[in-house]
Amino acid sequence: AGPVVIIGAGHAGFQLAMSLRQHGFSERIALLNDEGHLPYQRPPLSKAYLKGTGGPDSLMFRPEKFYHDQNIDLVSDRAVSIDRAARKVRLASGTSLDYGHLVLATGARNRLLDIPNANLDSVRYLRTLDESQSLRDYIGPGQRVVVIGAGFIGLEFAATARVKGLEVDVIELAPRVMARAVTAEISEYFQSRHTSAGIRIHLGVQVTSIEGDGSKVTGVSLSDGRHIKADLIVVGVGVLPNVELAAEAGLKVAAGIVVDEHLLTSDPNISAIGDCALYASPRFGGSLRLESVQNATDHARCVATRLTGDAKPYDGLPWFWSDQGPDKLQMVGLTTGYDRVVVRGDRAQGAFSAFCYKSGQLVGIESVNRAGDHMFGRRLLAAHGSITPEQAADASFDLKRALT
Ligand code: FAD
């Protein structure tokens, strides 16, 4: 026992503090927060918030009073090192915190662009409230933006920017959008929707340099020799997990902070959760590092349960969503390594799902504007169930029957 110190007050850290109290944990909880805002939600930063809906308060998980009422010490500081022998975390302010158990919920940070002129003022990223706020204040009709990277965040930003009247070009090295995350069926649908909205998507090319005039961005050069004019560049080329604190403390680190199926690091007094954690998954076999709200919050719940006396291996079912313009994409399961995709619904009507199979077993479902299929998938896959590809393709097959 003893106090729990949580490094990072994002989705994972906040959920852990709250779940510990819900489970009756009565000792000290220190939640380290280095962002200068009350803990907040990230998904709206590239969606409603960026569009201009609501003020910063609308993003906060809870008002300040909640932390007082729950006796959670929200410490505005940054952890700089961990002394595992003394069980102490040293903070940037020079003070330190003692822990009985330490939880690393340090998340991830933007992968930075490493090309000429990438440090100009109008080269922006989108991970934090401050970054979203400055983009929200900055973007307006008639401006030209080049978005580097056609992943979820790049495309969500592009769709919002277009609605706000900007000229938008998206540059992506892969041959299709969201290539690492979704099936070709879903990529094709979103590519055509964004193109119809007036976004120009350039695939199979790379930005080789940014052109500037003094501190101002004027455009980009592409690997195929073309130039595109721009006033603003938004970079969405992925993130890097924040593993340095763990590595410097001698914990095992690979493509994330290595944890076992209980989310424990190589030190039994230290756990790691959320975007920073590379966890052993009995469900999927092998190690996974996921970046989603579901992953962060389910990890947190698992650790809260263990720290209050009921240790169970983590068995969360991954799910995710992305809102792009008027379309909602929802995913459940792990759609990697599939060998067959069956489409259910109507692509032309913009409401369909891609059911992904591996050796005849359903491994994941990607749905566009078909929330029912997504919810079905969450229930079926959580129970390790499956339906055949023929049933998935048959519009008259009642999915609910497979759940009984
Ligand atoms: P984070 O939210 O990154 O929080 C980690 C916190 O730790 C940060 O505040 C960081 O500053 C802090 N920290 C790091 N090091 C230290 C230190 N040494 N001392 C103190 N504090 C430290 N997911 C979805 O499922 N659906 C979506 O639609 C979706 N949209 C997204 C849109 C955007 C723009 C972004 C950026 C992400 C989106 N995500 C979405 C992903 C989701 O937000 C992340 O997976 C989630 O935030 C991970 O939570 P986390 O707590 O692990 O990490």
Side-chain angles (χ1 to χ4, degrees), residues 121-277:
D121 180 49
S122 315
V123 179
R124 303 293 181 87
Y125 295 82
L126 182 45
R127 174 130 193 125
T128 64
L129 171 49
D130 291 344
E131 286 166 344
S132 177
Q133 186 67 52
S134 83
L135 278 169
R136 168 172 154 158
D137 297 342
Y138 187 92
I139 57 178
Q143 284 172 321
R144 292 162 304 184
V145 60
V146 164
V147 178
I148 304 182
F152 295 117
I153 291 175
L155 291 180
E156 287 181 3
F157 174 82
T160 303
R162 187 70 193 130
V163 167
K164 295 196 85 163
L166 280 81
E167 289 292 316
V168 185
D169 287 271
V170 177
I171 318 296
E172 169 59 54
L173 182 58
R176 59 183 175 89
V177 302
M178 300 181 282
R180 275 179 308 144
V182 301
T183 56
E185 283 75 359
I186 302 291
S187 292
E188 279 157 23
Y189 176 80
F190 277 95
Q191 189 180 328
S192 95
R193 293 286 285 168
H194 290 308
T195 305
S196 314
I199 296 171
R200 292 177 290 267
I201 300 182
H202 311 269
L203 299 169
V205 276
Q206 219 170 341
V207 173
T208 48
S209 71
I210 292 167
E211 288 141 14
D213 179 6
S215 65
K216 258 184 61 202
V217 162
T218 56
V220 297
S221 300
L222 303 184
S223 49
D224 61 5
R226 282 183 297 154
H227 300 274
I228 297 177
K229 287 187 178 158
D231 312 300
L232 170 68
I233 314 280
V234 173
V235 185
V237 294
V239 296
L240 298 171
N242 291 321
V243 300
E244 290 73 11
L245 264 184
E248 282 157 21
L251 297 172
K252 207 168 156 200
V253 160
I257 303 170
V258 175
V259 290
D260 65 11
E261 70 274 20
H262 288 280
L263 309 175
L264 270 174
T265 65
S266 43
D267 180 331
N269 300 314
I270 306 180
S271 303
I273 58 176
D275 279 15
C276 69

Side-chain angles (χ1 to χ4, degrees), residues 360-375:
Q361 180 79 18
L362 182 67
V363 290
I365 305 176
E366 299 168 348
S367 305
V368 180
N369 305 319
R370 293 262 295 194
D373 289 354
H374 175 73
M375 291 316 294

Side-chain angles (χ1 to χ4, degrees), residues 252 254-261 277-282 284-290 334:
K252 207 168 156 200
I257 303 170
V258 175
V259 290
D260 65 11
E261 70 274 20
L278 179 72
Y279 71 96
S281 169
F284 298 105
S287 299
L288 290 177
R289 191 183 71 74
L290 300 177
L334 268 198

Side-chain angles (χ1 to χ4, degrees), residues 8 11-12 34-35 42 47 79 106-107 127 275 292-293 320-321:
H11 283 267
D34 70 344
E35 288 206 51
R42 279 187 213 286
K47 307 179 181 73
T106 49
R127 174 130 193 125
D275 279 15
S292 72
V293 168
F320 184 79
W321 77 97

